[in-house]
Amino acid sequence: MSIEQLDRARAALARGDAESARCEAQFACEEAPDSAEAWFLLGAAHHGAGDLGAALSAFEDAERLVPGTGAIANARASVLSELGRVAEARSVLETALARGCDQDARLYLNLAIALEALDALPEAESRYREAIERAGASRGPASAPALQNLGALLMRCGRHADALVVHEALVAIAPDLADAHFNVAENLLAVGRPEDALAAAERALRLDPRHVFAHVDRAFALALVDRLPAAQAALEYARAIDPARFSSYRNGFDPLGTGSLEGLDARMLFVHWHTSRLAECDWARYDAFVATLRGLLEDSSGWPVPFAGPSLPFAVFGLPISPELQTRLARDTAVQRQGQATPRRAAMLRRRSRSTRLRIGYVSPDFHAHPLSYLTRNLFREHDRARFEIVAYSLFAGEDDEFTHAIEAGCDAFQRVAAESTERVVERIANDGIDVLVDLAGYTANTRFGIYDARPAPVQVTWLGFAGTTGSAAIDYALVDHVAVPPENETFWSEQLAFLPDSYFCSSPVAVGPTPPRSQLGLPDDAFVFCCFNNAWKIEPVVFARWLRILHAVPASVLWLLGLSNAQVNNLRAAAAAAGVDPDRLIFAPVLPYERHLARVGAADLFLDTFLFNAHTTAVDSLSGGVPVLTCTGATTPARVATSLLHAIGLPELITTDHDSYEATAIGLARDHASIVALRAKLANARKTAPFFQPKDHARNLERAYERMWHRHASGLPPVSFDVRGGRGGASAGDAEN
């Protein structure tokens, strides 16, 4: 073996010529089989050529000749990781460190990477920090890879503030590295500093004008500071530079729920980011956001398409957006969806012959521990099996739980179709001969509206899961009630309306344990306890300001809320302090399994409803637990559901129509113990007879609605609005009203 052969092998590797390097290194190994360096170079050449098996074998030969070498251990581990044998890679690296290679920073770095791949995140963080320490601050860029990876790990763990310290340290030692500035931009977006993120992205682009991901982050930052046309231009420019790399971009923003930027425009980024801040009760930009959002919904001039998207109609329920704009958004979303895909019409598929029983299909992604199932789990079993056959189609991809099993037990068939294509689900529903198909999700998470667009059933209905119109011509009816949808609001629905008696909501009462003592719940025994267990994104600044005024007026009181995140808790406490209310009077309850939550509800005295998006399932929970609910009737259906429930249960004294009377009623009840006792007694009696606490009664009302819808269809008549207990809508002797 000659030194020249090894030099030629190294040179070939340096210029990327793996085949030449393999030839030279192979000759060297044949001439000097005891040369660890020759075997190492041969392994590197095989690796460069993509022959991972041969590379691993060569590196193992090198390791046998000179065990305990850091460079060889790193090379072996790299190949093992690429082969998917990450646990073995970890073992190789740990062995090398145990043999005394602990000054090799790359060993710590590669070990950290392996640990992170194995989801051993705390250990990975420790090893990244050791790699940084071994590289030494004085060596500058030598520690850059470990800093970069550590920052990404901390971001993955949601420790954005810690990550920012690391990313800024990376910029300090590698100021000419575009990726370093890009990482800072990513991090600043995550901590809610879009102006600073914009500056960081632009620094990255000055260093590398073709950095696709930096262009995307610049687009994000521009959108978040309301520079929407510029943000859209930045997105399009990023896509033009490198379409494949653009499509591979991933970060915490996924407003379309697809894991991809394809089809995304800057308006969606704008709404997604702001609503994510509102979910943490961060209202710093609230007024400006709402004003811009209204403008986007009112006027799409300058944009290629109207502002729409599958997540938007639900997102605006908790915002001060008029019924007219909510309806326009739903209609535009339906049109946009139908324009993006044209599913095969199920009317052309084979259908079964009619039977004596009407087949009802319920479709939902929420047949598991979810508010929809909390309400309906006892409903399906109450359908009259002499007249109806019940089939559930579950779009939920997760594990079954007690709610899944309860619903399955109440159906004639329960079909798990989450893994199937939309076209296959459409075929299944059509071939099952479903007569009335009921959508239980609307525009909520994991819905598949393409199913209804394909018309697998002759009558299609939406109910319960989405408190508004779908805007879709594919949905014939919506099941509502006259309180949730008063006459002046009927025009805001694209569907014909089937008005259920009492409330369109239902309940599935369950036996729960005794209410724990207040001391076990972190509540004072001698205080008046106001509560609201709504999700934090339903809490908006106007209602929270009223709550604080109520606390001011009732000094011996506390407000019991659901604490979903540290940011939410901190923001609400800060808002209370700014208003002169002791933050300790806000008491935050942890999330508990449903039955345990129901048991603790009774420890409260009065539930304070939110204004724009009422308590829905949480109002049912509160009433079930014997706690009166105080609401303020709003303009939209989401703002009228609690009013519907209170009207149905016979507690009109808890329905207010303006914010001042809401506040005055809350204060008056808190100051009059006897009135609360009387309300709780009235509620306890009403729960025994209220229709929405009786699943069997609700099932009968639904059946009347389904039979009437089917009768019109079978008679060749178009859908028309009607009252389930008779009245308008062309009822005839053939309409089943029994």
Side-chain angles (χ1 to χ4, degrees):
M1 178 190 71
S2 66
I3 299 299
E4 289 78 9
Q5 278 180 314
L6 295 181
D7 288 341
R8 285 195 295 271
R10 292 191 199 95
L13 282 171
R15 65 176 182 269
D17 185 356
E19 290 302 328
S20 295
R22 279 210 281 193
C23 289
E24 296 292 348
Q26 188 67 55
F27 285 135
C29 290
E30 290 171 359
E31 291 186 10
D34 58 349
S35 170
E37 186 174 9
W39 288 108
F40 180 81
L41 288 172
L42 180 59
H46 284 315
H47 194 185
D51 190 344
L52 298 182
L56 182 59
S57 178
F59 287 140
E60 288 172 344
D61 286 338
E63 171 72 15
R64 279 192 291 270
L65 292 168
V66 283
T69 303
I72 297 174
N74 280 319
R76 283 181 63 201
S78 177
V79 174
L80 286 165
S81 293
E82 289 183 49
L83 288 168
R85 295 158 60 181
V86 182
E88 292 176 62
R90 172 184 180 175
S91 178
V92 166
L93 295 165
E94 288 178 336
T95 298
L97 288 171
R99 286 175 172 173
C101 299
D102 56 354
Q103 296 307 307
D104 189 337
R106 292 173 302 166
L107 282 173
Y108 288 98
L109 173 62
N110 290 331
L111 178 55
I113 293 170
L115 289 165
E116 187 173 355
L118 294 168
D119 282 331
L121 303 187
E123 295 172 71
E125 178 184 350
S126 176
R127 294 304 191 180
Y128 280 133
R129 293 191 183 280
E130 288 179 284
I132 295 165
E133 183 181 348
R134 292 298 187 279
S138 62
R139 297 178 63 186
S143 60
L147 283 166
Q148 190 163 357
N149 283 24
L150 175 59
L153 171 65
L154 295 171
M155 289 281 284
R156 174 183 172 185
C157 295
R159 294 166 55 189
H160 300 137
D162 293 339
L164 187 57
V165 173
V166 172
H167 285 143
E168 288 175 340
L170 176 60
V171 167
I173 66 167
D176 297 329
L177 181 64
D179 276 348
H181 296 279
F182 160 72
N183 290 338
V184 170
E186 288 271 280
N187 208 154
L188 290 166
L189 286 171
V191 298
R193 293 167 53 185
E195 295 90 347
D196 294 334
L198 177 60
E202 290 178 341
R203 286 195 297 272
L205 291 171
R206 283 195 290 272
L207 294 166
D208 180 2
R210 296 184 62 80
H211 197 300
V212 174
F213 293 169
H215 278 291
V216 173
D217 273 7
R218 179 173 179 270
F220 283 9
L222 286 166
L224 305 190
V225 296
D226 302 359
R227 294 170 58 184
L228 298 178
Q232 188 64 29
L235 276 176
E236 292 168 359
Y237 186 74
R239 182 186 288 109
I241 291 174
D242 187 337
R245 189 159 175 77
F246 176 84
S247 297
S248 73
Y249 181 87
R250 299 289 185 273
N251 80 347
F253 290 93
D254 188 15
L256 295 182
T258 62
S260 169
L261 294 179
E262 293 303 321
L264 181 65
D265 76 27
R267 295 170 294 181
M268 289 294 291
L269 291 174
F270 167 79
V271 172
H272 177 78
W273 186 80
H274 279 283
T275 53
S276 69
R277 309 304 294 177
L278 297 184
E280 303 288 7
C281 301
D282 178 353
W283 303 316
R285 300 167 180 261
Y286 185 85
D287 292 336
F289 164 57
V290 170
T292 301
L293 177 59
R294 285 181 182 144
L296 291 171
L297 295 172
E298 290 168 351
D299 184 5
S300 293
S301 59
W303 295 88
V305 294
F307 188 31
S311 65
L312 281 174
F314 186 78
V316 303
F317 280 171
L319 297 168
I321 302 298
S322 69
E324 293 87 350
L325 288 180
Q326 290 190 14
T327 300
R328 181 188 300 182
L329 174 58
R331 291 181 187 273
D332 287 345
T333 297
V335 170
Q336 181 190 82
R337 181 190 65 254
Q338 291 162 351
Q340 291 171 346
T342 306
R344 186 156 63 99
R345 301 291 290 180
M348 303 301 294
L349 300 172
R350 176 174 57 84
R351 289 185 49 77
R352 68 172 181 90
S353 60
R354 290 261 351 111
S355 75
T356 57
R357 294 198 297 171
L358 206 60
R359 283 191 172 179
I360 311 298
Y362 289 98
V363 184
S364 176
D366 302 320
F367 290 140
H368 61 103
H370 180 279
L372 186 281
S373 292
Y374 302 159
L375 296 172
T376 63
R377 66 172 165 183
N378 295 338
L379 172 74
F380 303 99
R381 71 187 186 197
E382 299 295 348
H383 277 300
D384 181 354
R385 289 310 196 275
R387 294 158 51 218
F388 297 90
E389 185 175 347
I390 306 302
V391 183
Y393 299 91
S394 174
L395 298 171
F396 178 58
E399 295 292 324
D400 292 353
D401 58 26
E402 62 177 298
F403 295 93
T404 313
H405 297 147
I407 292 169
E408 182 174 17
C411 297
D412 295 286
F414 187 92
Q415 305 204 32
R416 295 165 176 81
V417 297
E420 297 182 6
S421 68
T422 295
E423 185 174 65
R424 176 69 188 99
V425 177
V426 167
E427 292 175 352
R428 181 188 291 274
I429 293 169
N431 289 330
D432 285 348
I434 296 300
D435 300 308
V436 180
L437 188 64
V438 185
D439 156 51
L440 293 173
Y443 294 117
T444 57
N446 302 313
T447 190
R448 284 207 232 167
F449 236 92
I451 293 170
Y452 314 107
D453 292 337
R455 276 283 179 183
V459 178
Q460 300 191 149
V461 184
T462 187
W463 174 54
L464 195 61
F466 182 76
T469 183
T470 66
S472 173
I475 302 296
D476 304 305
Y477 293 96
L479 288 158
V480 296
D481 67 62
H482 282 298
V483 176
V485 184
E488 64 269 22
N489 282 10
E490 292 180 29
T491 186
F492 301 130
W493 292 73
S494 63
E495 302 84 358
Q496 296 299 307
L497 302 178
F499 290 94
L500 294 168
D502 307 300
S503 175
Y504 80 96
F505 253 61
C506 68
S507 174
S508 292
V510 294
V512 296
T515 300
R518 282 185 170 183
S519 58
Q520 292 183 16
L521 300 170
L523 298 170
D525 287 324
D526 57 351
F528 189 92
V529 177
F530 297 104
C531 77
C532 181
F533 290 118
N534 287 353
N535 281 316
W537 53 265
K538 290 188 178 184
I539 303 173
E540 40 82 25
V542 173
V543 75
F544 192 68
R546 291 288 178 169
W547 291 350
L548 295 179
R549 287 167 60 92
I550 292 166
L551 291 178
H552 261 303
V554 186
S557 67
V558 296
L559 178 58
W560 195 20
L561 303 170
L562 198 61
L564 297 178
S565 73
N566 289 334
Q568 173 215 332
V569 170
N570 292 338
N571 286 330
L572 291 178
R573 288 186 183 278
V581 173
D582 183 354
D584 288 339
R585 293 178 66 191
L586 304 184
I587 298 174
F588 293 90
V591 175
L592 293 178
Y594 187 57
E595 281 78 7
R596 289 180 60 196
H597 169 66
L598 288 181
R600 71 181 171 184
V601 165
D605 292 303
L606 180 65
F607 187 106
L608 296 177
D609 198 9
T610 41
F611 292 157
L612 299 174
F613 196 150
N614 286 172
H616 291 186
T617 306
T618 44
V620 174
D621 293 344
S622 183
L623 295 171
S624 299
V627 178
V629 175
L630 176 66
T631 195
C632 182
T633 307
T636 65
T637 300
R640 301 179 64 88
V641 168
T643 298
S644 169
L645 295 172
L646 291 167
H647 182 270
I649 204 171
L651 291 172
E653 58 267 52
L654 291 170
I655 301 169
T656 64
T657 56
D658 62 76
H659 297 170
D660 286 342
S661 59
Y662 171 93
E663 179 183 328
T665 302
I667 293 168
L669 289 172
R671 290 174 174 172
D672 183 358
H673 178 71
S675 65
I676 286 291
V677 171
L679 276 172
R680 293 182 78 116
K682 185 177 180 181
L683 174 56
N685 289 327
R687 289 206 313 272
K688 301 172 185 176
T689 57
F692 68 82
F693 283 122
Q694 313 301 323
K696 181 175 290 187
D697 292 346
H698 208 89
R700 295 293 87 79
N701 288 329
L702 291 175
E703 290 164 2
R704 293 184 183 99
Y706 298 151
E707 287 182 317
R708 191 154 173 181
M709 294 170 186
W710 177 255
H711 174 75
R712 288 194 63 84
H713 167 76
S715 301
L717 298 172
V720 66
S721 294
F722 63 88
D723 289 331
V724 168
R725 286 185 178 165
R728 61 181 173 157
S732 71
D735 285 339
E737 295 294 340
N738 57 317

